[in-house]
Amino acid sequence: MKALILVDIQTDFLPGGALAVPNGDAIIPIANRLQAVFPLVVATQDWHPVNHGSFAANHPGKTLFEQIDLNGLTQTLWPVHCVQKTPGAELAPGLEQERIAKIFPKGTDAGIDSYSGLFDNGHRKSTGLGEWLKAKGVTEVFVCGLATDYCVKFTALDAAELGFKTHFIEDASRGVNLQPNDVKNSVAEMNRAGITTVQSADLLKS
Ligand code: VGL
Ligand code: ZN
């Protein structure tokens, strides 16, 4: 069975949000159309406590987008975003949610970030998404959302590593590009890991 994984399509990642992804809102109508052609749809939700270690504000003297060591892992410092129970952490208001079977929160532990929707950045704990998909009989996943160069990429890489046939839906994703080629390099990295790049039109035409 095939599943669609909607990664972090949340208010804080949309234009005007705390960690806005350029043109992030452009993916919402595409994500809505895609949901109709999948038998199973799941979503991930960046869901940080206010004291999260990925927030620059929690490291006095450090600046935004600087890299630090956080409990043994390299961590980019982000603006405060997707704080649990705040409006910015909600799934985007325009995203249809009736067909989302389950939402998997991630980044809930203050001491470690979780770009992937499957495991934290140290691969120490599972979110349960991989096990849940396997229990449903899913063998093939299609990943899209925000942001291509962080949470989408790491979700797709982990899914491929778990043995799912994995696809990246390019036009249903947008990236941050802290460095100008980050998105391009991320797509290449996914492709090298055996993840195929597809466009929404390829999935919607059949
Ligand atoms: C994300 C940076 C920090 C993402 C989440 O969803 O791609 N990026 N937290
Ligand atoms: Zn985050």
Side-chain angles (χ1 to χ4, degrees), residues 51-63 66 68-70 75 77-78 110:
N51 65 339
H52 197 259
S54 75
F55 298 163
N58 292 328
H59 302 275
K62 301 288 180 188
T63 55
E66 185 178 342
I68 63 156
D69 178 287
L70 183 64
Q75 175 68 52
L77 292 180
W78 302 104

Side-chain angles (χ1 to χ4, degrees), residues 118-173:
L118 297 156
F119 296 98
D120 63 52
N121 289 3
H123 270 232
R124 293 169 191 161
K125 279 189 194 149
S126 164
T127 63
L129 172 56
E131 295 86 341
W132 190 89
L133 290 172
K134 287 192 176 174
K136 293 279 181 195
V138 172
T139 53
E140 188 168 359
V141 297
F142 292 75
V143 182
C144 67
L146 305 171
T148 305
D149 37 356
Y150 291 93
C151 294
V152 172
K153 176 180 84 168
F154 286 105
T155 298
L157 289 173
D158 278 348
E161 196 178 308
L162 284 183
F164 295 100
K165 187 167 163 48
T166 305
H167 311 270
F168 160 62
I169 315 174
E170 188 168 35
D171 62 319
S173 305

Side-chain angles (χ1 to χ4, degrees), residues 13 46 48 54 81 113:
F13 296 124
D46 215 31
H48 298 309
S54 75
H81 66 278
D113 211 352

Side-chain angles (χ1 to χ4, degrees), residues 172-203:
S173 305
R174 289 292 186 281
V176 180
N177 269 336
L178 281 187
Q179 302 294 326
N181 288 321
D182 282 355
V183 168
K184 193 189 289 183
N185 292 337
S186 296
V187 176
E189 188 179 345
M190 287 190 272
N191 293 163
R192 279 196 302 276
I195 298 159
T196 60
T197 300
V198 299
Q199 308 301 326
S200 62
D202 302 332
L203 306 170

Side-chain angles (χ1 to χ4, degrees), residues 76-91:
T76 299
L77 292 180
W78 302 104
V80 173
H81 66 278
C82 297
V83 173
Q84 295 171 3
K85 300 179 184 170
T86 64
E90 293 303 312
L91 295 189

